[in-house]
Amino acid sequence: MLNRRTLLTRVAALSVLSGGAAHAATASFDAFLQGVASEARGAGVSQATLQRAFANIRPNDKVLELDRRQPEFTLTWEQYRDGRITAQRVERGRQAYAENATLLDAIATRFRVSPRIVVAVWGLETNYGGFTGNYNTIEALATLAWDGRRSAFFRAELMAALRILERGDVAPERMRGSYAGAMGHPQFMPTSFERLAVDFDGDGRRDIWDNRADALASIANYLGRSGWDETERWGREVLVPAGFDAALAGRGTRKPLREWLRLGVTAADGTALPPLDMPTSILLPGGAGGQAFAVYQNFNVIRRYNPSDYYALVVGMLSDRVA
């Protein structure tokens, strides 16, 4: 029997959250953890690992609060862009690129992913490792899996986190990240870690928390496995002609780049766009009259990392500036 606070204490603590707890009322946190432990043992996780992983964890009120708050405010494109592509982030990115040039070149040789895009993802995810999150990953995932909103998703992530601990890639005390369970420099969820984290330096552990080589190589592996084509750009800022039909904008409309040129699309920097057959979409993230972008297949690869047009555009723009 796991030694935990009483359910009454936890419910009282959770009741302070606006909206109240959404967890299944029939199962205490203790009972939930016992069920997870039983499932994990069946998957080969040892009792010793479970005891270390579950030591002193409890439902985390802040995790639930943040999970419920996230959809309440939507940034405009300009707010999102300007909050992330700052002079400080660009300069720090250039420094990080220069400081890690040899490592980044070795990673690019192996995974065929441009160093600049790896650095941009790193910069946007954790400010080049400056802040990787300080939530206990097991506690955060257990809280979200016990809570009823997306329990199946987070239970699967919790099981993956326990398997990672069993393999010894990281100690439970160091397995920390975001409130939603994203971990280390790349902010991988545990299932992504299992599939895509790499031991680049060959020390026997895939350490995305404290080993920069493993962390950056894991980002490159993620993008490479998602279909990154090193011979192409992610996209570029363009100008659309007066009277451009905004209904043509969006990832759902793909035309050869030469066709967009025929319709009057030009490069924003004044350079000549090549009349290629490359499948291209035009995005107007701020709406008609705002910035316009021509995006290619690599843009969709960036979206595999985070399925947001804003995110992928900022990664692309930041990559162009840091290199």
Side-chain angles (χ1 to χ4, degrees), residues 94-214:
R94 289 171 177 166
Q95 293 172 1
Y97 192 106
E99 291 166 1
N100 297 280
T102 301
L103 170 62
L104 288 164
D105 286 345
I107 290 170
T109 298
R110 177 169 168 183
F111 296 104
R112 306 298 301 162
V113 175
S114 170
R116 69 177 65 189
I117 209 75
V118 172
V119 170
V121 169
W122 185 30
L124 194 54
E125 289 292 340
T126 58
N127 198 22
Y128 313 104
F131 184 73
T132 59
N134 201 34
Y135 286 89
N136 178 317
T137 297
I138 297 297
E139 180 173 272
L141 291 173
T143 297
L144 292 167
W146 176 59
D147 182 66
R149 289 209 316 139
R150 292 177 289 167
S151 57
F153 171 80
F154 285 111
R155 187 182 181 108
E157 295 296 339
L158 176 58
M159 294 300 299
L162 292 170
R163 292 192 296 267
I164 292 166
L165 293 177
E166 180 66 22
R167 282 192 294 267
D169 286 308
V170 64
E173 300 76 19
R174 187 65 190 105
M175 184 185 259
R176 307 189 78 82
S178 77
Y179 76 89
M183 308 180 301
H185 288 244
Q187 291 292 278
F188 277 6
M189 293 298 290
T191 54
S192 293
F193 179 100
E194 287 191 305
R195 291 184 297 111
L196 298 164
V198 296
D199 173 19
F200 192 72
D201 67 354
D203 68 354
R205 295 190 304 123
R206 297 177 294 172
D207 180 3
I208 62 172
W209 295 266
D210 299 304
N211 186 313
R212 189 169 294 184
D214 289 359

Side-chain angles (χ1 to χ4, degrees), residues 237-250:
E237 187 175 355
V238 295
L239 300 175
V240 297
F244 179 80
D245 183 2
L248 294 175

Side-chain angles (χ1 to χ4, degrees), residues 73-81 285 310:
F73 178 61
T74 301
L75 297 174
T76 66
W77 161 241
E78 291 77 14
Q79 289 169 330
Y80 185 94
R81 177 198 65 202
Y310 285 8

Side-chain angles (χ1 to χ4, degrees), residues 65-93:
E65 180 184 353
L66 290 170
D67 183 58
R68 291 181 184 130
R69 183 194 300 168
Q70 58 176 335
E72 293 179 1
F73 178 61
T74 301
L75 297 174
T76 66
W77 161 241
E78 291 77 14
Q79 289 169 330
Y80 185 94
R81 177 198 65 202
D82 294 346
R84 287 156 180 79
I85 303 181
T86 62
Q88 182 181 28
R89 179 166 276 154
V90 171
E91 181 57 30
R92 180 68 190 98

